[in-house]
Amino acid sequence: MARKPAKANRRHPLATVVLIAIGLAFTGGGYALFTSTATAQTDTASSTSQSSVDEGKKLFAANCQTCHGMALEGTPAGPSLLGVGAASVDFQVGTGRMPLATDGPQAMQKPPQFTEEQTQALADYVASLSPGPAIPTADQLTANGNATNGGELFRINCAMCHNVAGAGGALTEGKFAPDLTGVDSKYIYEAMLTGPQNMPVFNDHNITPEDKRDIITYLKYLQNNPSPGGFELGNLGPVAEGLFIWIFGIGAVVALTVWLTAKSN
Amino acid sequence: MSTIQRSDVPHEVVDPAFAETPKIANTPASRFTSAAANYIDERTSISAVVKEFGRKIFPDHWSFMLGEVALYSFIVILLTGTFLTFFFQASMAEVTYDGTYLPLKGIDMSAAMNSTLHISFDIRGGLLMRQVHHWAALLFVASIGLHMLRIFFTGAFRKPRELNWVIGFVLFILAMAEGFTGYSLPDDLLSGNGLRIIDGLVKGLPVIGTWTSYLLFGGEFPGTEIVGRLYTLHILLLPAILVAALGVHLLLLVINKHTQFAGPGKTNDNVVGVPIMPVFAAKAGGFFFIVFGVIVLMASFFTINPIWEYGPYDPSPISAGTQPDWYIGFADGALRLVPSNWGFMIGPWTFSLNIVAPVVVLGLFIVVVLIYPFVEGWVTGDKREHHIADRPRNAPTRTAIGAAGVTFYAVLWAAASSDLIATHFGLSIEGVIRSLQILLIVGPIIAYQAAKRVSLALQKKDREIALHGYESGRIVRLPGGEYIEVHEQLSDYERWRLLSFEDYKPLMLRPDAKGRISAGQRTRALLSNWFFEDRIAPVSATELEQSHGDHGAVEAGEGHAVESGH
Amino acid sequence: MAHDASSGKDTAATSSGLDVGSVGTAIEPSTVGHAEADGGLAVITTDTFTNPGLPPTRMRATDLDPKKARNAQRAVYTLFYLSIAGSIFALAAYMAFPISDDLNSIRLNTVFLGLGITLALMGIGLGAVHWAKTLMSDEEGEDIRHPVRSNDATRTAAVQIFDEANKESGFGRRTLIRNSLIGALVAFPLPAVILFRGLAPEYNNPAALLETTMWKTGTRLTLDPSGLPVKASDVTIGSAFHIIPEGLNDVPDRLEQKAKAAVLLMRVNVADLTISPGRETWNYDGIVAYSKICTHVGCPVALFEQQTHHLLCPCHQSTFDVNNECAVIFGPAKRPLPQLPITVDGEGYLIAQSDFTQPVGPSFWERS
C-alpha cells in the first residue's frame, strides 16, 4: 500500500521561487536569526510562545502563503486555513503531506520537510490567527482504552474506507484511504479530529475523545497482535487469498504433478 | 534417447533386495493374508473386481492429474468439514461474545459467529482445521477450473465423453454453490454483506425477485433463518448431489477409459500407460497425501478469512475491499461493470436492467460452456469415438474460442477487484472500470485472433520440422564454398507425435433428396466454414517422401543432410 | 493466410475411409467406434504414415545401477519414517502448545500442529511416489479399447426386454392407464412445492414491508451504535455521522430494521446543494440525511468524501453526488439514494420529518 512519491518531485514547483524571494528579504543576519531561534525553540516546543508564533509566521510566509494566503484566507490554489487549528497543521505538515509536492488526486504522505519544532511553530502560528482543534495531548493517545468499543466504532465509522484491518482502500477518481498500519497515534487522532483532505471530520460530539482513544487502542491491538492464523496476505481479504491459491497453491500442485508423471532418470 | 532394451538387463538381477521370487509363502503373515482374502472373496467375489480392474491401464501425463487434485481436495474438505460440524452452531440466535478474542468481548453476535470464533480461538487445532477447510475449498474450485480447461483445450469432451463434460460442469457449479454457502455460514461482516448482495440481486429479478428473497431469508433481510438454511444446503443437500454426480463422473471415466495424447504406439483403439496395481495406485495414493500436505502447509502459515477482524454482521458497517471468494468473483465483476442508470419502468413495475443484464450474460456464458461439445459435434458431424487428446494447436478455432472465453471470464474476474487494482497500481477506480468495460468486449476478440494465429503458426512450424527436421546449429561449408546449416531429421516416433491429428474441412452444401437446402444445413455450413476455413493439413506420406527424396539427393551428393529449401 | 496449405494433397479423401491399413503394418487401423460411424467433415486420407509402435522403454538409473536402487530404497523408507516422526511431532505439538488468552499461543499451536501434520502427510505422499517412480517397474502396458456402444446382440436383447415388458404390462396399449399415470406423476410433486410457501411468514406481503422503515415524524436521529441523539450544532461542516433511528437498539428485529433505516448524516455548505422543488425544507442548514443502503444491491454506501461530496459504495463502486441529491454519477446503480427529510426539535436535536418518501435499498419489481 505504501506509496513512495518520486523524490525528484518532492518540492512544490513554486517553492524555489518563494525561497529566492525570501532569501532576498532576509539576508545574512536574517539567516543567523532563523537558525538560532530554531535551536532555542527546542526548550519550549510544547508551549505556545510568542517566539514560536513568530517563527511559524516566517515559515508560513516562506512555504505556505502562496497557496493559502497571508491571512489564511485561501487562494484558488489552496483552501482557507481559518479554523483548521493546530491539529490540522500538525497532521498535514508532520506527515509530509504539506507542502504539496505535485498535483495529483490527493496529497501524498512523504518524509516531512520540517523538523518537529518547525511544525510546532507553524501550528502555533495558524492557531494564533484563528482558533481550531488543538494537537492532542499524550494522555489522549495512550492505547489503553476499550478495544471492543474501539473495534465497533472503527467498523462503523472507518472500515468502509480504510478496510476492517486498516489496510486502506480506494476512493473515487484516483483518491484512496491510506493504510493505517504503523501510523503514529497522534496522526490518527488528528485525522479523525480535522478530516484531512476528503476524509470526513469526526468531531468530539460524533466520536468523543475517549472513543478516539478506544479506536487507537483497537488499531494498536491489531498491530501488536499479528493474526493467529499466520501471514495476513496484506489483510486484503478474498482477492489476496484467491491470488495466493492460484499462484502458489495451484503452482505448487502443478509442479508436483509434473514431477510425479515425469519419468525417473 | 537411450537405445538399451529392457530385455538386455533382466529386471530381477538389477536389485537383489527386491528380487524375491514369489514362493508359496508359508509364514504366519502370508497365511493370514491368504485366509483373509479367501474370507472376503467367498462373500463378495472381490477377485473378479481385482482381475478386471487391478491391471487397468492409466495414461501418465501431468495434466491428467488435475481432476485428481479436485477429488483429493474434496476429500480433505469432507474430513475437515466433518470436524467443524461438531463445533459449529448454525443459529442466528443472538448471544454476547465472551471468548478469548479481546476486541470482540461483550459484542452481540449470532451463535454461528460465536461458535466459529470458539472453533478458532478456544479449540486446539480448530483454527488450523478451519483454515485447511477454507484453503482446500479454494483449491477445489481452482483445480476443477484448470481440469475443465485441460479437457476443453485437448478436445477430451468429444464423443463419447460429452455427457461426462456436462456432469463435470454440474460438479463445477455445485462446487461454487458449496463454496458460497460455506463462506456465508460464519455470519461475519464480510459474508453478511455478500448475502446482502445476493438479496439485492434476487430482489432485482423481474416478477419473482421480491418473493424469492422473502422466502429465501424467511422474512425481511437478514432475518434469523438464512444461516440455518444455508447450513442444510452446505452439509447435506449439496454434498449429497455432489457425491452422487462425482460417482457418475468417475464411473463414466472408467467406462470410457482415459484419453491419451497422440504418440508412438498410441492409437484410438488402445490406452498406453501404467497399470493401476501397483504403479498408478502408488502414485495416485501418494498424490492424495501430497495434495493434503500442500493444503495443510498453506493453512499452517497463511491466514484465511480472519472473521475476528471482520466482526459480526451488521447492516450498517462495511469494509473497503468487500469481495467474494475468487470463484464468485466473475459474478461480482459482472455486477460492477454495468454502466450507470440501466433500468426502466414497465407500467407500475420496476425492471432492473442493471441486475438482469449481468444475470443474462452470465447465464448465456454458462450455457455456451455447457453445450459446447454438442455444438462442435454437430458442426463436424463426426460420430466416431475420440480417445486421442488434441494438442490445442491442432484445433485452432476451438483453441481460439477457448482463449476468448478465458479472456471474457478473466476480465469479469479482474473487475471484481477493480478497487484493489486501482489502489495498488495508482489508478482511478473509474478508469479501471471503464477500461475493463471496453476490454470485456475487445479482449475476447483480440484473444481469439491471437490464439488462432499462434495455433496456425505452431502448426506450420510442426509441418516444417516434420518435413525438413530441426535446425541443428551446425554450419558446414560445402566444397563449392557455400555455407549451409545441417538439419537434423526427426525420428519416426517424434514425427508421429507431431503429425497424427484429425483434420476437418468446411461443409460443402449439397441439396437433399428433395433438392432443398435446409436452414439447419446452411447454419452448419456457416459454422463449419468458421471452424475450418483456416486449416493446415497434416503432412502426408507422399509429401514426406518427396522431401526425403530431396534430402537423399543432397546427402548422396554432398555427404550432408541439408535443407532442401522449398 | 495459410488457407489449405496442402491443397491438392488432401483430396484423396475417401468416404469409405478405413482402408488405411494397407499403408501401415505396425498398428492396425482404428476400429473403435469407427466401424460404422460417420466421420462427418473429417478428412480421411489413405496417404498417411505408419504408427511406429511403442518406443523401447528407457532404463532408469535405478534399473541399471544397484547402488542407485539401494539409495532410492533408502530415500523411500526414510520418507516413511519422517512421516511417523511428523505424526509424533504433531501429537507433541498438540500438548506442548496449548492455547490460552494470548493470540500468540494460537499462532504457535496452529503452526506447529500444522507442520507436524504436513510432514506426516508429505512423508507418505512423497515416499509412495518416489517408490513408484524409481523402484516399481515402469514398463508401459496397453489396454485395448472396446467401443462404448453395446454390441448389436445386447442391444437387440435390451430392446426385446422392453418390448416384452410393454406387452406384458400393456403400457403402450392401455393408453388411458398410461396417460392417467403420467398425469398423476406430474401432479404429485405440487404439494411439495407449495409447502415451501412456509419458508417465510404467511401474513405479510414482502413488497409492502419494503415500503416503510422505522423512521416516523419526530424520530430522533441517534448515533450508531450508541443510540445517543445528535444536536444540529454538533454536526460541523465536513462531518459524517452514522445514524440509526431512536429506539432501534430496543426493537426485537433490530438487524432487519437497521438494514432499512441506516442513514448517513453529512453537513456541507448549503450553497453547494442543488435542491429540487419540494425538498427545500428537507435539509437543516446544510445538514442532509441520506439512506445508507445502496440502491444497487444494498451494501452500505458510507464512503463520504468531504471535499468532492461524493458518496462511494465499496461493493460495486456506485458513486452518488451529495450536492445533487445523491444522483448516480458513476457505477451500476440506477436510482439516487433516498433522502430522509430532517429538522430540529425544541431542544435542538435532529429529528425526522417523516419516513423516507420512497422505498430504500435495492430496486424490486413491485416498486413503483
Side-chain angles (χ1 to χ4, degrees):
Chain A
M1 283 308 299
R3 285 146 187 276
K4 304 235 158 47
K7 284 206 165 163
N9 292 330
R10 221 169 66 197
R11 194 159 285 178
H12 193 279
L14 289 178
T16 325
V17 180
V18 174
L19 273 175
I20 291 167
I22 300 303
L24 289 170
F26 301 91
T27 46
Y31 180 74
L33 185 73
F34 174 85
T35 41
S36 62
T37 43
T39 341
Q41 187 59 33
T42 45
D43 300 325
T44 55
S46 54
S47 63
T48 312
S49 64
Q50 190 53 44
S51 65
S52 174
V53 171
D54 292 345
E55 160 75 8
K57 185 174 182 177
K58 287 175 208 152
L59 286 168
F60 190 87
N63 297 287
C64 320
Q65 178 201 330
T66 319
C67 302
H68 294 293
M70 196 56 221
L72 316 186
E73 77 280 9
T75 71
S80 158
L81 300 183
L82 291 167
V84 298
S88 183
V89 177
D90 188 53
F91 177 87
Q92 299 284 6
V93 179
T95 60
R97 286 180 168 83
M98 290 291 150
L100 203 56
T102 46
D103 284 336
Q106 70 188 53
M108 306 294 259
Q109 188 178 358
K110 56 185 186 295
Q113 193 172 324
F114 298 104
T115 64
E116 276 183 43
E117 294 75 35
Q118 290 170 326
T119 307
Q120 179 70 43
L122 276 169
D124 289 344
Y125 172 68
V126 170
S128 73
L129 291 186
S130 160
I135 297 171
T137 59
D139 60 313
Q140 284 175 305
L141 300 173
T142 42
N144 59 358
N146 180 343
T148 307
N149 184 43
E152 195 171 20
L153 287 169
F154 185 81
R155 283 192 290 277
I156 288 176
N157 291 289
C158 321
M160 74 292 251
C161 299
H162 289 284
N163 148 317
V164 275
L171 299 176
T172 67
E173 289 160 358
K175 300 183 288 292
F176 63 94
D179 186 355
L180 300 180
T181 320
V183 176
D184 197 290
S185 302
K186 182 172 75 159
Y187 296 131
I188 294 174
Y189 194 103
E190 287 170 351
M192 288 190 273
L193 197 59
T194 63
Q197 307 190 37
N198 267 300
M199 177 166 164
V201 177
F202 294 94
N203 63 33
D204 288 349
H205 302 291
N206 189 355
I207 298 180
T208 65
E210 294 77 55
D211 288 341
K212 290 191 172 84
R213 196 188 56 196
D214 290 349
I215 289 175
I216 289 168
T217 307
Y218 176 66
L219 285 172
K220 295 300 158 197
Y221 181 92
L222 284 186
Q223 224 167 292
N224 297 333
N225 292 280
S227 167
F231 297 110
E232 288 151 340
L233 304 176
N235 271 320
L236 294 174
V239 171
E241 292 158 9
L243 280 180
F244 186 84
I245 200 73
W246 271 99
I247 296 170
F248 295 101
I250 287 286
V253 165
V254 166
L256 285 163
T257 60
V258 171
W259 167 72
L260 186 134
T261 48
K263 189 176 164 81
S264 179
N265 282 323
Chain B
M1 230 184 173
S2 164
T3 52
I4 302 169
Q5 297 292 317
R6 174 164 291 269
S7 53
D8 296 346
V9 188
H11 190 60
E12 292 79 43
V13 207
V14 170
D15 182 4
F18 289 87
E20 279 181 47
T21 41
K23 341 174 231 237
I24 307 300
N26 214 8
T27 60
S30 65
R31 272 204 304 277
F32 173 78
T33 314
S34 72
N38 180 50
Y39 182 92
I40 293 169
D41 186 51
E42 284 180 352
R43 283 156 184 83
T44 62
S45 42
I46 189 90
S47 295
V49 179
V50 173
K51 175 171 168 278
E52 177 68 27
F53 295 110
R55 295 292 276 187
K56 207 174 153 59
I57 297 293
F58 270 85
D60 228 6
H61 187 269
W62 71 267
S63 70
F64 297 168
M65 308 297 287
L66 296 169
E68 272 179 53
V69 179
L71 177 66
Y72 297 151
S73 17
F74 181 59
I75 296 173
V76 174
I77 292 169
L78 284 182
L79 292 174
T80 50
T82 307
F83 178 86
L84 295 175
T85 59
F86 295 150
F87 305 97
F88 179 70
Q89 292 172 352
S91 155
M92 291 172 90
E94 200 164 88
V95 295
T96 303
Y97 181 70
D98 188 30
T100 302
Y101 188 64
L102 181 78
L104 288 176
K105 264 194 185 163
I107 297 263
D108 289 340
M109 58 180 65
S110 64
M113 174 83 181
N114 188 44
S115 60
T116 314
L117 288 168
H118 179 69
I119 294 171
S120 307
F121 291 120
D122 304 315
I123 293 168
R124 281 189 229 185
L127 183 58
L128 180 68
M129 288 300 116
R130 259 197 70 218
Q131 301 200 132
V132 170
H133 192 68
H134 204 138
W135 280 120
L138 294 195
L139 185 66
F140 180 45
V141 195
S143 55
I144 295 178
L146 215 54
H147 176 57
M148 286 175 73
L149 289 177
R150 198 279 294 171
I151 303 284
F152 183 88
F153 284 110
T154 62
F157 54 76
R158 290 172 297 170
K159 190 182 173 185
R161 296 183 180 78
E162 306 100 317
L163 294 181
N164 224 13
W165 167 267
V166 172
I167 294 168
F169 185 79
V170 169
L171 284 169
F172 183 52
I173 301 284
L174 283 170
M176 289 195 286
E178 276 285 37
F180 186 79
T181 51
Y183 165 87
S184 304
L185 289 182
D187 202 21
D188 57 300
L189 187 60
L190 185 67
S191 71
N193 275 310
L195 280 176
R196 184 37 148 159
I197 294 170
I198 293 292
D199 168 62
L201 182 82
V202 170
K203 277 188 179 136
L205 298 177
V207 187
I208 57 165
T210 316
W211 272 94
T212 310
S213 156
Y214 181 65
L215 294 174
L216 183 64
F217 288 90
E220 285 194 87
F221 178 85
T224 53
E225 309 281 348
I226 188 70
V227 167
R229 288 176 185 175
L230 292 178
Y231 189 57
T232 307
L233 295 179
H234 184 71
I235 69 159
L236 180 73
L237 191 62
L238 292 174
I241 304 174
L242 211 157
V243 168
L246 187 60
V248 179
H249 195 66
L250 295 178
L251 185 69
L252 280 175
L253 163 73
V254 171
I255 290 174
N256 294 332
K257 293 198 171 80
H258 209 286
T259 51
Q260 58 191 351
F261 280 108
K266 297 176 181 176
T267 71
N268 210 29
D269 304 336
N270 70 359
V271 195
V272 177
V274 293
I276 288 194
M277 301 253 273
V279 179
F280 188 76
K283 281 188 174 182
F287 192 46
F288 165 70
F289 288 95
I290 290 174
V291 171
F292 201 164
V294 168
I295 296 170
V296 176
L297 189 65
M298 283 191 288
S300 316
F301 282 105
F302 296 95
T303 308
I304 188 164
N305 201 21
I307 52 156
W308 52 91
E309 281 176 5
Y310 302 143
Y313 179 62
D314 178 317
S316 170
I318 187 155
S319 173
T322 289
Q323 264 105 0
D325 271 350
W326 78 260
Y327 42 84
I328 306 290
F330 76 110
D332 195 54
L335 282 178
R336 291 185 188 211
L337 288 186
V338 177
S340 296
N341 294 309
W342 276 23
F344 49 85
M345 303 294 293
I346 305 176
W349 296 298
T350 303
F351 189 89
S352 303
L353 192 59
N354 53 356
I355 305 293
V356 176
V359 168
V360 167
V361 168
L362 293 185
L364 283 177
F365 180 68
I366 282 174
V367 167
V368 167
V369 175
L370 181 70
I371 64 168
Y372 183 81
F374 305 100
V375 175
E376 195 187 300
W378 176 63
V379 169
T380 61
D382 190 346
K383 305 281 185 266
R384 301 167 303 172
E385 289 186 14
H386 290 279
H387 302 291
I388 301 282
D390 279 330
R391 295 166 82 211
R393 68 185 61 171
N394 290 334
T397 305
R398 179 203 298 145
T399 303
I401 292 172
V406 168
T407 309
F408 185 77
Y409 183 93
V411 171
L412 290 178
W413 190 19
S417 42
S418 54
D419 49 341
L420 291 174
I421 294 175
T423 51
H424 283 74
F425 297 99
L427 306 165
S428 78
I429 283 188
E430 290 85 352
V432 171
I433 289 179
R434 289 203 184 100
S435 313
L436 289 173
Q437 282 168 339
I438 295 168
L439 213 55
L440 187 69
I441 312 290
V442 178
I445 298 172
I446 296 173
Y448 177 91
Q449 293 298 347
K452 185 148 184 182
R453 295 301 134 192
V454 168
S455 296
L456 288 168
L458 287 172
Q459 263 187 304
K460 262 188 143 175
K461 188 192 91 182
D462 281 355
R463 207 183 146 80
E464 282 299 305
I465 291 173
L467 285 175
H468 311 304
Y470 288 103
E471 294 173 0
S472 65
R474 198 156 58 85
I475 310 285
V476 293
R477 187 177 168 196
L478 300 182
E482 183 191 0
Y483 287 93
I484 54 150
E485 184 177 8
V486 176
H487 278 230
E488 250 160 51
Q489 291 303 311
L490 292 179
S491 73
D492 281 354
Y493 300 128
E494 289 166 299
R495 190 179 302 114
W496 179 256
R497 208 187 294 280
L498 289 188
L499 297 183
S500 60
F501 62 89
E502 296 280 355
D503 180 32
Y504 295 90
K505 280 203 299 194
L507 176 68
M508 291 278 277
L509 271 180
R510 285 199 188 83
D512 63 7
K514 291 177 189 161
R516 282 184 305 216
I517 297 173
S518 69
Q521 280 302 90
R522 275 182 210 282
T523 318
R524 193 177 150 215
L526 217 65
L527 284 174
S528 73
N529 198 45
W530 171 42
F531 263 75
F532 304 120
E533 65 175 346
D534 293 331
R535 57 184 270 275
I536 294 183
V539 177
S540 68
T542 321
E543 271 182 290
L544 187 68
E545 221 156 277
Q546 279 171 355
S547 106
H548 274 205
D550 295 348
H551 293 301
V554 179
E555 271 173 61
E558 317 288 357
H560 292 292
V562 296
E563 190 181 4
S564 51
H566 291 254
Chain C
M1 71 158 274
H3 290 271
D4 231 351
S6 66
S7 49
K9 285 166 197 158
D10 56 17
T11 46
T14 58
S15 51
S16 65
L18 303 166
D19 49 347
V20 225
S22 58
V23 182
T25 45
I27 301 279
E28 285 304 304
S30 174
T31 51
V32 171
H34 285 203
E36 290 148 29
D38 175 11
L41 303 178
V43 178
I44 295 161
T45 167
T46 49
D47 189 11
T48 61
F49 303 97
T50 313
N51 189 328
L54 276 178
T57 311
R58 174 174 65 83
M59 302 299 283
R60 298 164 298 186
T62 43
D63 295 326
L64 301 168
D65 184 354
K67 212 161 94 193
K68 290 255 166 62
R70 269 196 302 278
N71 283 345
Q73 184 187 356
R74 200 175 302 129
V76 171
Y77 68 67
T78 308
L79 280 165
F80 288 155
Y81 281 132
L82 269 177
S83 167
I84 299 175
S87 297
I88 294 168
F89 181 84
L91 293 178
Y94 186 89
M95 288 178 268
F97 297 98
I99 57 182
S100 65
D101 279 0
D102 181 13
L103 288 192
N104 206 37
S105 69
I106 301 168
R107 174 98 195 81
L108 294 175
N109 179 276
T110 306
V111 165
F112 286 108
L113 195 59
L115 274 181
I117 295 174
T118 304
L119 190 59
L121 294 165
M122 284 297 206
I124 298 176
L126 297 177
V129 172
H130 193 55
W131 181 10
K133 283 183 58 157
T134 56
L135 297 172
M136 293 182 189
S137 158
D138 74 335
E139 200 137 21
E140 292 197 308
E142 181 182 4
D143 266 359
I144 300 303
R145 290 183 197 270
H146 307 287
V148 177
R149 179 186 193 276
S150 311
N151 64 39
D152 289 342
T154 314
R155 283 161 69 114
T156 318
V159 170
Q160 216 163 6
I161 288 173
F162 272 111
D163 271 351
E164 274 167 33
N166 186 19
K167 271 194 211 105
E168 287 168 16
S169 63
F171 188 80
R173 190 161 38 87
R174 304 183 212 274
T175 50
L176 215 53
I177 291 186
R178 187 191 63 200
N179 295 347
S180 57
L181 173 63
I182 292 171
L185 287 174
V186 168
F188 102 96
L190 292 181
V193 173
I194 198 70
L195 279 176
F196 285 100
R197 172 60 185 89
L199 282 171
E202 296 196 7
Y203 42 82
N204 282 324
N205 172 4
L209 287 172
L210 293 171
E211 301 279 343
T212 59
T213 74
M214 255 187 86
W215 293 104
K216 283 194 282 289
T217 306
T219 309
R220 275 184 177 167
L221 277 69
T222 63
L223 273 177
D224 185 11
S226 65
L228 296 171
V230 179
K231 279 191 169 165
S233 57
D234 295 346
V235 188
T236 48
I237 288 204
S239 285
F241 282 57
H242 296 261
I243 295 296
I244 51 177
E246 185 177 21
L248 177 92
N249 289 337
D250 305 322
V251 296
D253 55 346
R254 183 174 67 90
L255 292 185
E256 290 75 38
Q257 291 304 336
K258 198 173 186 178
K260 292 191 294 183
V263 157
L264 192 67
L265 186 73
M266 296 148 284
R267 184 171 200 163
V268 298
N269 201 332
V270 74
D272 291 341
L273 295 176
T274 311
I275 302 168
S276 59
R279 289 201 186 187
E280 293 88 350
T281 60
W282 285 17
N283 77 81
Y284 182 81
D285 199 17
I287 304 177
V288 288
Y290 282 95
S291 165
K292 209 169 134 181
I293 311 302
C294 188
T295 56
H296 178 223
V297 283
C299 286
V301 187
L303 284 73
F304 174 56
E305 298 179 1
Q306 67 130 320
Q307 285 176 9
T308 60
H309 299 169
H310 290 169
L311 265 175
L312 173 71
C313 176
C315 288
H316 303 103
Q317 284 75 47
S318 292
T319 310
F320 303 89
D321 185 5
V322 177
N323 285 349
N324 198 15
E325 299 185 338
C326 280
V328 181
I329 50 175
F330 188 76
K334 154 78 179 148
R335 290 178 296 110
L337 294 170
Q339 185 176 4
L340 183 72
I342 54 168
T343 185
V344 291
D345 64 9
E347 295 170 63
Y349 288 109
L350 289 163
I351 55 168
Q353 288 185 30
S354 69
D355 196 355
F356 289 99
T357 56
Q358 53 172 314
V360 301
S363 300
F364 53 94
W365 179 249
E366 294 86 346
R367 183 183 192 285
S368 50

